[in-house]
Amino acid sequence: QVQVVESGGGSVQPGGSLRLSCAASGSIFSINAMGWYRQAPGKQRELVAIISSGGGTDYTDSVKGRFTISRDNAKNTVYLQMNRLQPEDTAVYYCNVKGLLSGMRRLDRWGQGTQVTVSS
């Protein structure tokens, strides 16, 4: 089985920073894209940032200029550096990994989430 594990969440004051990490492990043939999603209480899950195997990135408008997504392909790990955090960033953040498993099966796996709380 493939494991996807997030870490780095916590509580921070407005204007603070956090760095989230997501590591994928198991019988992975290739990873095509990794992304971060978040879900705030009572709201729909939304895409925050994605990064492709070629390094291309995209961000939702509300985090542009504040968040940076990066990846370490050798470690099958994706990071989300979150700066100038705001209360509206409070959510459970989920990592998603897409690619191919060994045996040419599709990989589309979610982590269990990590809580980010921004409050004064």
Side-chain angles (χ1 to χ4, degrees):
Q1 292 184 343
V2 172
Q3 308 295 323
V4 178
V5 180
E6 304 101 331
S7 63
S11 296
V12 66
Q13 296 185 34
S17 297
L18 287 171
R19 186 178 71 121
L20 306 183
S21 298
C22 171
S25 61
S27 299
I28 301 171
F29 179 78
S30 64
I31 293 177
N32 295 327
M34 304 181 80
W36 288 97
Y37 296 71
R38 67 186 180 188
Q39 188 165 24
K43 297 183 179 179
Q44 297 283 336
R45 186 174 298 187
E46 66 171 345
L47 175 69
V48 178
I50 56 172
I51 185 165
S52 70
S53 60
T57 60
D58 198 14
Y59 301 87
T60 193
D61 287 344
S62 63
V63 308
K64 288 180 179 177
R66 300 188 297 119
F67 291 9
T68 302
I69 189 170
S70 61
R71 66 187 292 178
D72 184 336
N73 290 341
K75 296 180 179 180
N76 286 338
T77 299
V78 64
Y79 306 94
L80 186 67
Q81 179 66 47
M82 305 185 294
N83 298 326
R84 303 191 303 279
L85 283 160
Q86 303 168 7
E88 54 264 38
D89 296 317
T90 295
V92 178
Y93 283 69
Y94 297 91
C95 177
N96 177 256
V97 181
K98 290 183 170 62
L100 292 174
L101 299 170
S102 297
M104 299 177 65
R105 294 171 294 162
R106 184 173 68 92
L107 169 63
D108 187 349
R109 188 66 56 87
W110 293 89
Q112 61 188 11
T114 184
Q115 176 71 48
V116 172
T117 302
V118 185
S119 63
S120 59

